[in-house]
Amino acid sequence: MQTEPASRVGLVRALNPMIREMSFAELSAEYGTNEARVNLLAELEVFLKTLDENFSVYRLLVYGSFLAAKENPSDIDVMAHVCACPSDAGFSNITILRRVAPPHIDVFTLSLSKSYEEGRSPPTAHSMVESFNNLDSHLSNGTACHSAVELTRSRLATSGP
């Protein structure tokens, strides 16, 4: 039986990220504390509108320095999982999300999926963070998400934490 290297197992076990669900308005109220942050939030809002116009179901997690006490973060890091179905405007043109994101929205796309099954749900926020944190490249360079804010859109009710 093959086992994980001790360093990988230790890192994975040490992470128990805090994930909070918020509306965009709540995120803006809590983290839009100065002009630079408000400008970044305006870019995030443009990106969210692009997602809303093209996809009925997505899960987006904001993480990184924007959520920390850093007064002037240079960007907003987001993790994304998009589920596209035939009724979505973006179904035929599903693309790399970084290409449609404003310049200061750093998108890490965990998954873009097309399905002919309407109402497919993205994975839970905790599953997304676990996938992100367990990527070999992130484990080898120490990249990890310890906290995130979830901004999820679904025409259907979502389940899970």
Side-chain angles (χ1 to χ4, degrees):
M1 178 171 106
Q2 188 175 12
T3 59
E4 297 293 329
S7 61
R8 181 177 170 138
V9 171
L11 180 60
V12 171
R13 288 185 183 156
L15 297 178
N16 185 11
M18 180 183 79
I19 299 170
R20 298 168 51 200
E21 284 187 56
M22 288 185 164
S23 67
F24 181 78
E26 292 167 328
L27 180 74
S28 297
E30 186 166 334
Y31 293 98
T33 56
N34 61 36
E35 185 177 354
R37 286 174 159 273
V38 168
N39 290 338
L40 289 172
L41 284 163
E43 287 193 28
L44 179 60
E45 186 172 30
V46 167
F47 182 58
L48 289 169
K49 285 180 181 177
T50 300
L51 290 176
D52 284 344
E53 290 167 359
N54 288 283
F55 305 105
S56 57
V57 180
Y58 64 79
R59 180 161 280 132
L60 194 74
L61 302 178
V62 176
Y63 69 101
S65 64
F66 189 80
L67 299 182
K70 189 172 185 180
E71 188 173 335
N72 293 306
S74 61
D75 63 6
I76 297 178
D77 297 307
V78 297
M79 259 180 256
H81 180 98
V82 173
C83 298
C85 60
S87 61
D88 291 340
F91 183 74
S92 296
N93 300 323
I94 198 164
T95 185
I96 298 171
L97 293 179
R98 279 188 175 207
R99 291 186 186 156
V100 298
H104 295 100
I105 304 301
D106 186 11
V107 181
F108 185 88
T109 305
L110 284 169
S111 179
L112 291 169
S113 62
K114 290 173 95 171
S115 173
Y116 288 96
E117 177 186 331
E118 295 280 341
R120 187 167 170 216
S121 294
T124 66
H126 284 279
S127 294
M128 287 176 62
V129 170
E130 184 178 333
S131 294
F132 178 87
N133 287 341
N134 288 313
L135 289 170
D136 288 336
S137 60
H138 291 168
L139 289 169
S140 65
N141 70 16
T143 299
C145 174
H146 298 285
S147 65
V149 170
E150 178 181 355
L151 300 169
T152 297
R153 176 168 192 262
S154 176
R155 292 185 189 142
L156 304 166
T158 56
S159 61

